[in-house]
């Protein structure tokens, strides 16, 4: 990054500081007598100072605005109707953050993990170097690691932090070495198995004019269950609450009394609208999921929680162990929202005055000016990616929704599962009879509208990659009918009981999902059929799935019990082959019917 933006930033901060003092002065004047220091001598600092905390989470390398329904946020209007607003893209995120910082001399920007990983081609093709570069340009001060930061293993995460060119692919631009992140990645609850030492820094302290705020970063303890085994090799993941409490005590001993926890774990608000009040009727009543118990267990020394992972939007207060309200926030995903939280810092106690913490989520709208430095960055990397990205793979007649579908059975999920079955059904390719796809692996929609100059309805390699960016190798394994039934029950029980993970299934597999029941009973066992015939518990079936599911990922232990494994092509290669085989410009692929899973609500 050139020196000029930095210099301008400093001047801007000085100007903003001058402007900001007037407002702080006004606040102090309005406070009751005795609430602030007496004796306004020359150069006296007011007792409290408002610190602006800007935060976001789960960017996943979405530098360009996410396409289709995955790029919308829901907003409830005053008349109760819900409006979809197109949002996101770092050109707009940069503008939003820079605008928000104006007039706030004390502003810190933090993130809740999954900045990289499962990224669109523009970033993923270059091992997410473009995203780290963009985050440097956004003036990110600190982020927690998320599970996706481990997709390519600890050595690659260290490279993203420290810089250096890719060990296999080298440097992408002539004469330019990748510099790494100029903000710390925090991983307090990740230690090396051999030494027991933290993999990265557990915390950092942000300082300005005597104001000190500590940030502790953790990822979810269950990270190994949702990342490939290679990604977490040699690492241990610890309890989020115990870890945060341990480091909060350490910060406290060092005199840092204002603490923010960045946690890559989240919750599910009762409404998907970003402006939903999840403190209605009472504090935190409108939110459920793992973050609630975590929030209730974290020491009162921590003043606010920035969360992520569930890709939801919420600003709630969940009581801390002493019963005091504490802010818990999350800003959706893909840079579509940012959270603006005001932390009132008391210079005498060095702590946050909790009663005055205010917070709100804001939409990163696409009708504001684009940040020109981000446009230049995107253009630069797009030129490098273009030869690969723009190759046509097939044609579609309308949007085929994946990520943007909230239904248990997604049209794009059916296409992907069918592609895997078709590619692996031949005897010499594994003899697959059925295929399963994990819903979290579908990262986007297939959008009919052209993303570039390819024309409407054309699916480019870049668009196909954005849907399936992991390039997981496919596996075909032997599973008994009994194991198959258990696997389907694991969608709605065990670790998936609270938030079900409904597998996408290939054509021929049908069953009923009864959501009025609880646990494993939600999968009605005697309705499970393959090509019209009941599953025989004693029979062996050949089952296709990606290596992540075949390793028992996402809580599907039964799928990890497969034997007689054959490794096939990558999921992306099979997807592209299917598009090529089933579509032409004259006869594009239509969205498939979703009639494999019968849902009873």
């Amino acid at each position: 990054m050139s020196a000029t933006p930095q210099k301008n930033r400093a001047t801007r901060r000085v100007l903003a500081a001058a402007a900001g003092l007037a407002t702080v002065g006004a606040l102090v004047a309005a406070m009751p007598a005795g609430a602030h220091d007496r004796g306004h001598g020359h150069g006296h600092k007011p007792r409290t100072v408002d610190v602006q905390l800007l935060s976001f989470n789960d960017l996943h390398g979405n530098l360009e605005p996410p396409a289709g329904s995955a790029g919308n946020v829901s907003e409830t209007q005053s008349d109760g109707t819900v409006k979809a607003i197109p949002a996101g893209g770092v050109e707009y995120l940069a503008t939003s953050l820079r605008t928000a910082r104006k007039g706030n001399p004390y502003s810190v920007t933090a993130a809740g993990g999954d900045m990289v990983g499962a990224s669109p081609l523009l970033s993923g093709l270059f091992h997410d170097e473009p995203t780290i570069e963009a985050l440097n340009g956004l003036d990110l001060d600190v982020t927690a690691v998320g599970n996706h930061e481990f997709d390519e293993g600890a050595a690659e995460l260290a490279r993203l932090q420290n810089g250096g060119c890719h060990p296999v692919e080298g440097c992408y631009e002539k004469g330019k070495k990748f510099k790494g992140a100029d903000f710390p990645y925090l991983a307090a609850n990740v230690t090396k198995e051999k030494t027991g030492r933290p993999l990265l820094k557990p915390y950092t302290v942000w300082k300005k004019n005597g104001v000190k705020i500590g940030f502790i970063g953790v990822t979810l303890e269950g990270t190994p269950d949702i990342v490939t085994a290679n990604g977490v090799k040699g690492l241990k993941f610890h309890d989020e609450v115990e870890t945060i409490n341990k480091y909060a005590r350490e910060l406290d001993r060092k005199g840092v009394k204002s603490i923010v926890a960045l946690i890559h774990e989240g919750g599910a608000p009762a409404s998907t609208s970003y402006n939903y009040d999840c403190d209605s009727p009472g504090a935190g009543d409108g939110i459920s999921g793992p973050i609630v118990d975590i929030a209730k267990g974290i020491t009162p020394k921590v003043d606010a929680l920035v969360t992520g992972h569930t890709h939801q939007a919420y600003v709630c207060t969940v009581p801390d162990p002493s019963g005091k309200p504490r802010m818990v926030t999350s800003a959706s995903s893909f840079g579509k929202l940012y959270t603006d939280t005001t932390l009132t810092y008391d210079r005498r106690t060095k702590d946050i005055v909790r009663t005055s913490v205010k917070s709100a989520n804001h939409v990163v709208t696409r009708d504001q000016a684009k940040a020109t430095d981000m446009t230049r960055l995107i253009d630069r990397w797009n030129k490098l990616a273009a030869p690969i990205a723009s190759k046509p793979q097939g044609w579609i007649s309308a949007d085929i929704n994946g990520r943007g579908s909230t239904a248990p059975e997604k049209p794009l999920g059916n296409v992907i599962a069918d592609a895997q079955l078709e590619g692996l059904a031949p005897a010499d390719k594994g003899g697959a009879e059925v295929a399963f796809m994990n819903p979290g692996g579908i990262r986007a929609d297939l959008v009919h509208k052209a993303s570039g100059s390819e024309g409407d309805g054309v699916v480019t390699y870049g668009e196909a990659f954005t849907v399936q960016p992991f390039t997981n190798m496919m596996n075909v394994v032997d599973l008994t009918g009994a194991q198959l039934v258990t696997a389907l029950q694991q969608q709605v029980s065990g670790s998936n009981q609270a938030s079900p993970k409904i597998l996408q299934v290939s054509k021929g597999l049908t069953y009923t999902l009864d959501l009025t029941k609880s646990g494993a009973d939600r999968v009605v066992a005697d309705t499970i059929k393959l090509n019209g015939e009941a599953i025989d518990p004693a029979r062996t079936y050949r089952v296709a799935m990606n290596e992540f599911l075949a390793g028992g990922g996402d809580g599907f232990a039964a799928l990890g019990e497969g034997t007689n494994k054959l490794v096939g092509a990558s999921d992306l290669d099979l997807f592209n082959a299917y598009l090529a085989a089933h579509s032409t410009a004259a006869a594009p692929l239509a969205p498939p019917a979703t009639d494999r899973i019968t849902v009873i609500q």
Side-chain angles (χ1 to χ4, degrees):
M1 189 168 154
S2 71
T4 25
Q6 292 285 348
K7 205 171 92 195
N8 292 349
R9 205 162 97 216
T11 347
R12 200 172 67 230
R13 279 193 181 154
V14 172
L15 290 170
L21 283 175
T23 51
V24 174
L27 275 175
V28 173
M31 285 167 93
H36 54 87
D37 285 348
R38 289 170 187 80
H40 286 275
H42 180 65
H44 182 82
K45 286 177 175 158
R47 164 86 184 255
T48 62
V49 56
D50 279 351
V51 177
Q52 176 188 55
L53 170 63
L54 299 176
S55 56
F56 57 96
N57 51 278
D58 296 275
L59 181 66
H60 290 289
N62 279 267
L63 301 181
E64 295 177 294
S69 56
N72 292 336
V73 290
S74 301
E75 180 180 78
T76 301
Q77 308 299 299
S78 50
D79 63 359
T81 56
V82 176
K83 183 176 162 190
I85 304 173
V90 294
E91 294 160 297
Y92 302 112
L93 180 60
T95 300
S96 286
L97 294 175
R98 287 164 189 172
T99 305
R101 288 177 191 136
K102 281 179 185 150
N104 289 288
Y106 294 86
S107 184
V108 56
T109 304
D114 278 7
M115 294 295 100
V116 300
S119 306
L121 187 84
L122 174 62
S123 186
L125 191 61
F126 306 106
H127 294 277
D128 283 313
E129 289 181 23
T131 297
I132 297 296
E133 204 179 283
L135 291 169
N136 288 344
L138 286 175
D139 297 330
L140 184 63
D141 289 296
V142 56
T143 183
V145 293
N147 51 292
H148 283 280
E149 262 81 19
F150 295 93
D151 284 347
E152 295 185 41
E156 175 62 2
L157 174 55
R159 185 183 79 90
L160 290 181
Q161 177 73 82
N162 303 320
C165 296
H166 193 270
V168 178
E169 291 171 38
C171 301
Y172 295 113
E173 294 175 290
K174 224 184 154 129
K176 265 183 134 173
K177 192 177 156 217
F178 172 59
K179 291 193 175 71
D182 62 14
F183 50 89
Y185 256 115
L186 304 180
N189 65 333
V190 186
T191 56
K192 296 177 194 167
E193 269 174 2
K194 280 199 179 120
T195 62
R197 296 181 65 80
L199 175 69
L200 295 166
K201 281 170 71 160
Y203 59 78
T204 190
V205 181
W206 177 86
K207 300 181 180 116
K208 182 160 186 188
N209 298 343
V211 173
K212 284 192 289 195
I213 298 180
F215 288 88
I216 303 168
V218 297
T219 183
L220 69 154
E221 188 183 3
T223 290
D225 308 330
I226 52 176
V227 172
T228 57
N230 273 343
V232 292
K233 216 175 176 162
L235 302 176
K236 274 189 87 151
F237 292 77
H238 304 272
D239 182 271
E240 305 94 342
V241 175
E242 284 170 22
T243 304
I244 291 169
N245 290 352
K246 171 181 142 183
Y247 287 112
R249 285 194 297 275
E250 191 172 309
L251 281 165
D252 190 49
R253 280 199 304 273
K254 289 184 170 179
V256 179
K257 309 290 182 190
S258 298
I259 303 172
V260 175
L262 308 174
I263 308 173
H264 192 70
E265 177 60 292
S271 158
T272 54
S273 290
Y274 83 92
N275 57 341
Y276 161 71
D277 177 9
C278 58
D279 282 339
S280 160
D285 283 348
I287 188 167
S288 59
I291 199 62
V292 179
D293 284 339
I294 290 174
K296 285 178 177 166
I298 289 174
T299 169
K301 291 185 199 303
V302 174
D303 298 295
L305 316 182
V306 170
T307 73
H309 188 55
T310 58
H311 291 205
Q312 302 297 312
Y314 47 84
V315 172
C316 304
T317 50
V318 177
D320 71 14
S322 73
K324 274 174 70 180
R326 179 168 55 193
M327 205 54 88
V328 179
T329 67
S330 171
S332 181
S333 64
F334 301 173
K336 294 183 287 191
L337 296 176
Y338 71 92
T339 315
D340 187 336
T341 303
T342 304
L343 302 170
T344 302
Y345 181 92
D346 184 327
R347 288 183 185 275
R348 193 184 291 165
T349 64
K350 300 190 173 86
D351 208 346
I352 299 299
V353 184
R354 268 251 225 116
T355 48
S356 64
V357 176
K358 293 185 293 294
S359 189
N361 272 327
H362 301 276
V363 182
V364 176
T365 58
R366 298 184 198 166
D367 55 9
Q368 56 187 326
K370 293 179 179 183
T372 51
D373 56 332
M374 293 296 153
T375 306
R376 283 197 303 274
L377 181 148
I378 288 169
D379 290 348
R380 208 178 88 232
W381 289 102
N382 260 332
K383 276 195 188 73
L384 286 176
I388 296 171
S390 55
K391 281 200 182 107
Q393 304 296 313
W395 290 263
I396 55 173
S397 65
D399 286 5
I400 304 180
N401 281 353
R403 194 82 201 176
S405 162
T406 52
E409 181 185 347
K410 305 169 194 313
L412 190 50
N414 288 357
V415 174
I416 291 169
D418 288 353
Q420 295 177 352
L421 178 62
E422 185 169 295
L424 301 169
D428 62 334
K429 298 275 193 281
E433 299 166 81
V434 63
F436 291 131
M437 172 65 191
N438 53 310
I442 308 169
R443 303 307 298 186
D445 301 336
L446 272 189
V447 179
H448 185 261
K449 189 177 182 303
S451 59
S453 55
E454 77 275 11
D456 289 353
V458 179
V459 179
T460 63
Y461 184 86
E463 289 165 337
F465 181 98
T466 297
V467 167
Q468 293 212 94
F470 299 108
T471 33
N472 268 315
M473 301 315 288
M474 291 302 299
N475 290 182
V476 187
V477 297
D478 281 354
L479 285 170
T480 64
Q483 287 169 319
L484 268 188
V485 173
T486 302
L488 289 171
Q489 290 171 331
Q490 285 170 344
Q491 302 177 108
V492 289
S493 61
S495 61
N496 295 329
Q497 174 138 351
S499 52
K501 289 195 172 78
I502 305 303
L503 294 165
Q504 306 298 291
V505 299
S506 55
K507 62 171 183 285
L509 187 82
T510 54
Y511 70 94
T512 297
L513 186 64
D514 186 347
L515 297 177
T516 65
K517 296 196 164 90
S518 64
D521 292 343
R522 288 185 270 192
V523 171
V524 186
D526 57 9
T527 63
I528 306 171
K529 292 188 170 133
L530 184 59
N531 303 322
E533 284 183 22
I535 295 282
D536 174 356
R539 197 195 129 192
T540 296
Y541 295 84
R542 291 292 283 164
V543 186
M545 63 193 98
N546 59 43
E547 59 191 330
F548 169 65
L549 278 178
D554 266 353
F556 291 100
L559 296 181
E561 292 164 8
T563 55
N564 197 10
K565 176 166 81 176
L566 183 135
V567 178
S570 77
D571 51 8
L572 182 61
D573 286 348
L574 292 182
F575 184 51
N576 284 331
Y578 185 86
L579 289 171
H582 292 272
S583 69
T584 61
L589 181 70
T594 48
D595 53 7
R596 300 170 190 183
I597 306 171
T598 304
V599 182
I600 300 170
Q601 301 262 13

